[in-house]
Amino acid sequence: DVDVVAVVPFNYYSSNQTTMLSLARQVSFKSGAARVVARAMSSSVVAKDAVPLPSIRDNIVTLTFVDPSGARRKVPGLIGTTLWDAAAMHDIDLGPASTAAPVEAKRSEEWTEPLFGEGPTSGFDHVLLTGNGVETCPPKNSAEERMLNHYWDPHELFPESRLASVVPLTKDMNGMIVYVPDRIVDDIP
C-alpha cells in the first residue's frame, strides 16, 4: 500500500456544511491499492510571510487647517480627493468650489495632455499651503493664476497661494498645514 495525503481546502468542494464537517475530520478510505487521507485546511490560516491586506488608513492623510483667528483643526482627508473636499467633509467653510474640468493632465515628464476644460471658475477657495507634500502639488496653471489674481488683491497673494478645489491630496501631504485667509464676501444676492 502507498499512503497519499491530499490537502483539501474547505471551499474546494462545496459550501455545504455537512461536506465541510466531514472534511474537517481526517478521513481514510481505500481506493484500489492506495489509501488516501484527506485533510481539511481552513482558508483563514495566515502564512508567516503573508502580505497584510490594505486598509483605509493607508489612503488617509491628516491635514491641519488654520482659520483667520489662528485656531487649528486637524482633519483626515482621503487621498485622491481635493483639499476643498476634505474641508467640506469636516464643515470647514472655504467658500464655493471652483469646480470645472481640468485644463490639462501631466501624463509623463515629456507629455502633458490638453483636456480642453475650463479649469477653475472662481477664486473663492483661496488657501496657503505649507509643510509636508507642498512640492507634490501640481504646478499652478494659467487658469488658476487668473482666478487668484481676479478675486484677490496682490498683497493677499503669496507663492504658497492655491485654490483648494484644484489641489489633489497625495500620501506625501500627511501633516500639511493649510492656512485659510479671511473670506471674500460671497453671499450677496
Side-chain angles (χ1 to χ4, degrees):
D1 281 12
V2 177
D3 288 339
V4 178
V5 176
V7 178
V8 181
F10 279 143
N11 298 335
Y12 181 76
Y13 281 93
S14 167
S15 61
N16 182 334
Q17 194 168 10
T18 57
T19 304
M20 289 170 49
L21 288 174
S22 65
L23 285 176
R25 293 184 229 113
Q26 280 198 344
V27 179
S28 297
F29 56 91
K30 286 217 177 239
S31 171
R35 191 175 122 231
V36 178
V37 178
R39 182 171 46 108
M41 179 180 76
S42 170
S43 61
S44 64
V45 175
V46 179
K48 289 180 186 177
D49 56 346
V51 178
L53 294 175
S55 167
I56 188 67
R57 290 188 187 268
D58 299 335
N59 294 319
I60 300 287
V61 293
T62 302
L63 306 168
T64 303
F65 284 88
V66 182
D67 69 13
S69 71
R72 293 173 174 261
R73 186 167 168 200
K74 285 189 175 188
V75 299
L78 185 62
I79 294 173
T81 62
T82 64
L83 276 173
W84 191 90
D85 294 332
M89 181 70 71
H90 300 285
D91 295 326
I92 298 172
D93 190 14
L94 298 180
S98 330
T99 54
V103 177
E104 59 190 19
K106 187 168 185 159
R107 304 297 184 192
S108 71
E109 290 297 320
E110 297 85 28
W111 181 50
T112 301
E113 178 184 9
L115 299 176
F116 306 105
E118 296 175 13
T121 56
S122 73
F124 290 113
D125 55 335
H126 172 229
V127 293
L128 301 168
L129 306 179
T130 62
N132 298 345
V134 172
E135 65 281 350
T136 64
C137 294
K140 290 183 209 174
N141 59 31
S142 60
E144 184 178 4
E145 285 282 351
R146 185 175 63 248
M147 288 299 118
L148 285 167
N149 292 328
H150 181 72
Y151 282 82
W152 297 86
D153 293 331
H155 70 277
E156 297 173 313
L157 296 175
F158 301 93
E160 300 85 12
S161 293
R162 296 301 302 262
L163 294 178
S165 58
V166 298
V167 177
L169 296 179
T170 63
K171 187 132 187 99
D172 297 328
M173 292 179 178
N174 193 28
M176 184 168 68
I177 300 172
V178 181
Y179 291 95
V180 181
D182 281 328
R183 293 269 318 276
I184 297 174
V185 178
D186 60 4
D187 58 355
I188 300 174

